[in-house]
Amino acid sequence: MSSRDVVVLSVGGLRFVTRPSTLQRFPESRLARMLSNEDREFKQVNGEFFVDRDGNLFSYIMDFLRTLQVSLPTDFSDYQRLQREAEFYELHALAELLGHEHLLKPRQEILEVRFFLQEAQAFFRIFGSCSSTVEALAEQITVFTDQQSGQSWNSAFPSQKPLVPLPLERPSHHDMVFQCGTEFSAGDQFVARYVSIKPDTRKLINGTNVLGLLVDTLLGDGFRLISTRTVWSGEKVECYTLERMRRPAVAQAKGSQVPKGR
């Protein structure tokens, strides 16, 4: 690429290489005016524009210009300093977004497990504030069905014939519903439902055992149990609320996309 295809900036001792079109995303900004020599504060030395500002914060400025999104680490706290940098460069759209700091901070992720035990069956409903977490959990949980004949209704082990996997009920992107245990069908026939939760390979039919495995799985995934309560005492619906304490390493706090220009 020729020197006309790229622009080199030295900001606070850090070197950035980008396209002119990236710096011109917001024509009224000082970075755009710098390219047309309309802002004399930016001096060019040996083909590089020298900018006496914070180079670390400028990396977030460049990311915003490239993606038109605010993408910050989950532990980021210098919102006011970054807003001040955005105002210096006269990137008003970014400065306005950073003014709504509460919208950019990662929100607390909550997961709620409701458990209802009725005779030989157990019913589960899981609701999560983060749809991607619920989606990932749904891929870990499999319900298998087995038609039993002439066996005890509380048989803890599946029959020798292959079990049939059942799809989970997904009322919305934020929740799922499933059940385990046995129920009477006709004559001496019983339908048994077993639950498997990866990476555990067991197929469990007892609701209390499934609940214990589910909670252990969530604790291993970075959640912590913050409360338990009985929702309806008449039907003994128990509610377990969990909060995520740590996030996957690839997680980032994403902001809203903004229109080009002001």
Side-chain angles (χ1 to χ4, degrees):
M1 299 177 69
S2 69
S3 58
R4 295 182 180 181
D5 296 322
V6 298
V7 178
V8 181
L9 302 95
S10 176
V11 185
L14 298 181
R15 193 168 181 265
F16 298 86
V17 180
T18 186
R19 295 177 181 273
S21 58
T22 300
L23 299 177
Q24 294 169 334
R25 278 284 182 92
F26 295 84
E28 77 280 9
S29 73
R30 298 186 70 179
L31 292 172
R33 299 202 304 270
M34 174 189 72
L35 296 182
S36 57
N37 296 318
E38 296 178 17
D39 195 317
R40 299 298 181 183
E41 184 169 343
F42 299 99
K43 302 296 184 181
Q44 207 168 9
V45 180
N46 297 326
E48 298 183 7
F49 286 98
F50 173 76
V51 186
D52 190 17
R53 302 294 294 188
D54 190 309
N56 292 319
L57 292 178
F58 189 72
S59 64
Y60 301 121
I61 300 283
M62 287 302 306
D63 186 64
F64 172 75
L65 291 175
R66 289 171 175 141
T67 65
L68 293 180
Q69 290 183 337
V70 180
S71 181
L72 303 171
T74 55
D75 59 349
F76 186 83
S77 60
D78 288 340
Y79 290 91
Q80 291 185 344
R81 290 182 61 215
L82 184 55
Q83 184 181 22
R84 186 170 64 242
E85 294 301 295
E87 291 170 349
F88 170 80
Y89 295 108
E90 297 184 11
L91 290 167
H92 305 296
L94 176 58
E96 184 177 351
L97 277 176
L98 292 168
H100 301 285
E101 177 182 332
H102 63 286
L103 298 178
L104 299 176
K105 286 184 175 179
R107 297 182 179 180
Q108 184 183 57
E109 184 179 346
I110 297 295
L111 201 67
E112 183 180 277
V113 178
R114 295 199 174 194
F115 172 67
F116 174 40
L117 188 61
Q118 184 181 47
E119 296 181 352
Q121 297 185 81
F123 301 85
F124 294 83
R125 182 160 194 159
I126 302 176
F127 175 85
S129 60
C130 178
S131 61
S132 60
T133 296
V134 177
E135 187 69 34
L137 186 59
E139 294 179 359
Q140 291 179 257
I141 298 175
T142 306
V143 177
F144 298 92
T145 184
D146 181 23
Q147 190 81 18
Q148 298 186 14
S149 175
Q151 298 184 27
S152 172
W153 59 267
N154 62 353
S155 173
F157 303 99
S159 62
Q160 297 300 316
K161 62 183 180 181
L163 300 180
V164 179
L166 296 175
L168 300 180
E169 290 185 47
R170 297 295 307 278
S172 74
H173 292 294
H174 288 272
D175 59 348
M176 71 181 81
V177 178
F178 62 93
Q179 68 184 86
C180 65
T182 57
E183 63 178 327
F184 176 80
S185 57
D188 64 347
Q189 299 291 315
F190 292 90
V191 176
R193 291 184 178 87
Y194 302 85
V195 173
S196 176
I197 305 177
K198 298 176 182 178
D200 195 285
T201 58
R202 292 173 295 171
K203 296 179 176 64
L204 304 177
I205 195 171
N206 181 276
T208 303
N209 292 343
V210 173
L211 176 64
L213 177 59
L214 175 60
V215 172
D216 285 346
T217 301
L218 294 172
L219 294 178
D221 194 36
F223 284 90
R224 72 181 180 103
L225 184 64
I226 59 175
S227 71
T228 61
R229 70 183 192 276
T230 301
V231 182
W232 294 294
S233 58
E235 295 185 345
K236 298 182 180 179
V237 177
E238 300 174 4
C239 180
Y240 299 79
T241 303
L242 301 100
E243 172 191 21
R244 186 182 285 282
M245 296 301 296
R246 66 177 189 273
R247 297 174 179 273
V250 296
Q252 289 184 326
K254 291 289 185 179
S256 302
Q257 187 164 340
V258 298
K260 181 178 178 181
R262 196 180 175 190

